[in-house]
Amino acid sequence: MTLVADTPPGQVIAPPTPPPAPTSAERWRLRGPLLPALVFTLALTQIPFLMTLFFSIRRWNLLSGGDQGFNWGHNYVDTATDPIFWKSILNTVLITGVSTVLCIAIGLLIAMALNHSFPGRGIARTLAITPFFAMPVAVTLFWRSAMFDPTFGLFGFLSRSVGLPAVSWLSDYPLLALVVLLTWRFTPFGLLIMLAGLQGAPQDQLEAAQVDGAGPFSRFRFITLPHLRPFIELAALLLAMNLIQTFGEIALLSAGGPAYATTNITYYIYLKAFNAFDFGFASALGVVALVLTIALVSPVLRLLSGIFQSEGRR
Amino acid sequence: MKPNVLKRSGIAVGGWVGSLVLFFPIFYMVVKSFQTEIDAANPTPQFLFTPTLTNYAEALQAGIGPYAVNSLVVVVVSTLVVLALAVPAAYALSVRPVAKAQDVLFFFISTKMMPIAAGIIPIYIVASALGLLNTITILVLMHIGMNLPLGIWMIRSFMQEIPGEVLEAASVDGAAGWTKMRSIILPLIKPGLASTALLCAVFSWNEYFYAVNLTTSKSTLPLFLQKFLSFGELYTAHVAAVATLVSLPVIIAGWAAQKSLVRGLLFGAVK
């Protein structure tokens, strides 16, 4: 990372002394280009959050009517004592955790094959990354009727053709069905990142290890895996960031059901806000979701910031 | 020599099988889109059949047009605004960094970690008060907010890669500010700008959460698809045709740009 300070026009030889501290006007000139983006993002993210915080301590249910007013921590007490809230937290953790691990593991396996050259590798790779681009709403609806349906779906056909009864995925294993769909959709993401990591693997070390008689497993374990670590960490963070917010797949695959079996925190907020119209309660849920996300993500983020600060690590 | 051949073909088979398993549902979707509803509803998958274009024709007649136009407008406008805001911001965070550039960068990415649902009620209320509910404008605004951090991170990483000497030489020759941006930086990061724009466009095209919560009739393609649910049972062949139709542009764009995609997906974090 080389950041080059500008030399004033006409000054051919830069003096070896450190540049003088910028004046106030100079600092604003540097900041200028940043401000539109910063102001826009602040307005669009921080103001709604502060408003959510304010709504979360108010009584505000459009359906039950009555006055709006402060009820302070009441919504939070309701949240903490709501079993569905806890179920949605558990579901969020399960959906995010299991899918993230699967996307990285399967992605790594396929990437290791695609890292070797073989006939048609380019085509295979192109086909493999396709699910990531298809419109999520579209593929979710398609999976619902053409894959998961016990009578008409492909999985039902496959179970029947090996002599097993067809499973009704969406009513019997709804969470598993959701994880399967999400894993399918996001594995290409893991795959692309793992492939990028493998392509930068230290070939000289791998060859030297082979000469020294190290088997494929120990070469992977002691050379490739340490090299891949930052890629795995990054992929995990970015996948988790996406998966924790899963909404469309849930809304269209199972509508959070049956019996809240696939309701994650995002979908529960949506249900409370736009089906039950309990804006106060939904706002409290939003604040809790934010706090939990920060608690979950900030250790990873710190890690990530380490990766960025030592860009020469690779 | 022999185990080597065996190993090589094993890898090839593994790579192909893995890729084909991932691709199969997409292939199956395209196949079903050319079937009649009766063929599509056959419990045994049909691969030999007389293809029909009925589903596509009916999808076009069902009023996909306005939704497609809305999607296109939202994608193009939001992506252009993201670039217009992100290029100067990335410049201020890389070429001539402001104080605490690192912190500002992390502020931007941290907004992507915020649960989108945590802010939706105020956004809904403000949009309603401003008369922006069920308009394309509100979707454009939300998509800009959604993609701006990605844009800044990606474009910054491309600017970081411009050799310091090039920028120095430009300054020595008297190029400053806008001139330097237009004649040196922008041409050098053109491929980067293109892949940034592509990723933003893909995310905007596929976005569903804001569409479903902030719009009803004047909306984008994901909401058009959602209508298939309200008819109770799903018409597989029709869904497949519409799904293929709306996914195809993005899939082709993704295929075309796959080389530069990785760093975009990584927010430009790993080179």
Side-chain angles (χ1 to χ4, degrees):
Chain A
M1 185 159 77
T2 46
L3 301 173
V4 177
D6 275 357
T7 334
Q11 194 169 357
V12 179
I13 302 155
T17 49
T23 61
S24 169
E26 168 73 2
R27 274 202 299 271
W28 278 105
R29 215 169 58 75
L30 287 177
R31 276 177 208 152
L34 178 65
L35 286 179
L38 196 60
V39 170
F40 185 91
T41 307
L42 281 168
L44 215 66
T45 58
Q46 308 304 300
I47 293 172
F49 174 64
L50 291 176
M51 286 171 77
T52 305
L53 212 55
F54 175 70
F55 295 157
S56 76
I57 51 170
R58 290 174 72 85
R59 214 187 73 76
W60 190 2
N61 189 327
L62 296 188
L63 293 187
S64 68
D67 317 323
Q68 271 185 51
F70 290 98
N71 64 5
W72 304 107
H74 208 275
N75 293 326
Y76 289 95
V77 175
D78 286 351
T79 304
T81 53
D82 177 5
I84 302 167
F85 162 72
W86 291 107
K87 194 173 173 62
S88 71
I89 295 284
L90 179 69
N91 286 341
T92 308
V93 172
L94 279 176
I95 295 166
T96 309
V98 177
S99 311
T100 300
V101 170
L102 286 176
C103 288
I104 290 176
I106 301 172
L108 179 57
L109 274 178
I110 302 178
M112 279 166 66
L114 291 180
N115 193 37
H116 293 81
S117 73
F118 58 79
R121 180 179 68 162
I123 299 169
R125 176 182 137 144
T126 302
L127 296 181
I129 63 169
T130 309
F132 185 68
F133 297 102
M135 183 183 283
V137 166
V139 291
T140 302
L141 286 175
F142 179 76
W143 272 71
R144 184 180 155 136
S145 70
M147 305 293 280
F148 289 132
D149 189 283
T151 314
F152 308 113
L154 185 73
F155 290 155
F157 168 75
L158 290 178
S159 343
R160 278 194 305 275
S161 49
V162 294
L164 294 170
V167 174
S168 176
W169 283 70
L170 294 181
S171 46
D172 295 340
Y173 305 100
L175 204 59
L176 184 60
L178 183 64
V179 167
V180 168
L181 173 63
L182 289 170
T183 301
W184 169 72
R185 200 163 97 64
F186 283 99
T187 291
F189 185 97
L191 165 73
L192 275 171
I193 292 167
M194 295 300 123
L195 202 54
L198 286 172
Q199 276 164 358
Q203 285 308 321
D204 45 340
Q205 284 180 39
L206 285 168
E207 274 161 32
Q210 191 163 18
V211 171
D212 291 347
F217 181 76
S218 54
R219 264 179 290 154
F220 178 76
R221 169 74 186 77
F222 294 107
I223 300 173
T224 311
L225 210 55
H227 164 79
L228 277 182
R229 214 186 107 183
F231 289 86
I232 294 174
E233 288 166 354
L234 256 165
L237 178 81
L238 296 171
L239 281 165
M241 260 168 62
N242 274 300
L243 288 161
I244 213 167
Q245 314 244 11
T246 301
F247 175 79
E249 286 85 354
I250 293 175
L252 296 160
L253 195 67
S254 55
Y260 296 102
T262 51
T263 296
N264 69 352
I265 188 76
T266 304
Y267 195 72
Y268 194 44
I269 294 171
Y270 162 81
L271 284 180
K272 279 291 165 194
F274 296 104
N275 276 26
F277 293 102
D278 193 341
F279 283 6
F281 187 92
S283 297
L285 278 176
V287 174
V288 175
L290 180 69
V291 172
L292 288 176
T293 309
I294 290 172
L296 216 73
V297 170
S298 64
V300 197
L301 196 63
R302 234 193 323 276
L303 214 106
L304 190 68
S305 126
I307 298 174
F308 286 118
Q309 255 130 45
S310 56
E311 269 177 32
R313 198 165 129 189
R314 277 171 293 282
Chain B
M1 206 62 205
K2 212 164 197 178
N4 207 354
V5 172
L6 214 68
K7 191 184 143 203
R8 277 169 162 276
S9 39
I11 289 169
V13 169
W16 267 107
V17 168
S19 301
L20 287 178
V21 167
L22 283 179
F23 183 69
F24 184 79
I26 302 283
F27 168 74
Y28 197 42
M29 184 169 94
V30 177
V31 167
K32 287 219 177 229
S33 73
F34 291 108
Q35 292 179 346
T36 59
E37 283 298 347
I38 297 163
D39 277 340
N42 192 321
T44 306
Q46 302 295 303
F47 289 100
L48 292 170
F49 56 91
T50 325
T52 167
L53 285 172
T54 336
N55 303 314
Y56 286 95
E58 281 174 14
L60 294 176
Q61 279 160 13
I64 196 175
Y67 290 89
V69 171
N70 289 343
S71 270
L72 216 59
V73 171
V74 171
V75 166
V76 170
V77 176
S78 72
T79 303
L80 286 179
V81 177
V82 165
L83 291 184
L85 291 177
V87 166
Y91 176 81
L93 292 170
S94 64
V95 180
R96 305 195 58 188
V98 294
K100 306 208 167 173
Q102 209 74 19
D103 293 343
V104 178
L105 267 171
F106 273 98
F107 162 72
F108 278 116
I109 203 168
S110 72
T111 64
K112 296 283 305 174
M113 322 249 167
M114 273 182 152
I116 40 172
I120 192 66
I121 293 172
I123 288 166
Y124 179 86
I125 288 163
V126 171
S128 162
L130 296 174
L132 290 177
L133 276 189
N134 199 24
T135 63
I136 295 309
T137 317
I138 188 71
L139 289 185
V140 169
L141 285 173
M142 299 321 293
H143 289 195
I144 296 168
M146 170 179 87
N147 284 330
L148 192 51
L150 169 79
I152 292 172
W153 273 73
M154 276 182 78
I155 294 172
R156 171 185 168 272
S157 86
F158 289 106
M159 285 185 180
Q160 293 277 57
E161 265 180 25
I162 302 174
E165 303 84 61
V166 173
L167 295 169
E168 228 169 335
S171 300
V172 171
D173 290 345
W178 177 233
T179 320
K180 189 161 79 180
M181 175 69 88
R182 207 187 48 199
S183 57
I184 313 282
I185 299 177
L186 286 182
L188 282 175
I189 62 164
K190 220 187 242 166
L193 286 179
S195 54
T196 308
L198 177 93
L199 264 186
C200 291
V202 169
F203 291 138
S204 171
W205 181 263
N206 287 344
E207 202 283 324
Y208 175 68
F209 183 78
Y210 294 123
V212 77
N213 283 309
L214 300 174
T215 60
T216 45
S217 54
K218 262 190 85 86
S219 190
T220 47
L221 286 167
L223 237 64
F224 175 76
L225 267 138
Q226 186 199 266
K227 289 184 167 181
F228 284 87
L229 259 186
S230 39
F231 299 131
E233 241 354 90
L234 286 172
Y235 294 98
T236 306
H238 280 77
V239 168
V242 182
T244 305
L245 216 52
V246 299
S247 294
L248 210 59
V250 178
I251 288 178
I252 291 171
W255 284 351
Q258 52 173 309
K259 283 234 166 67
S260 52
L261 266 172
V262 175
R263 80 191 275 159
L265 295 178
L266 286 172
F267 281 51
V270 171
K271 292 182 193 104

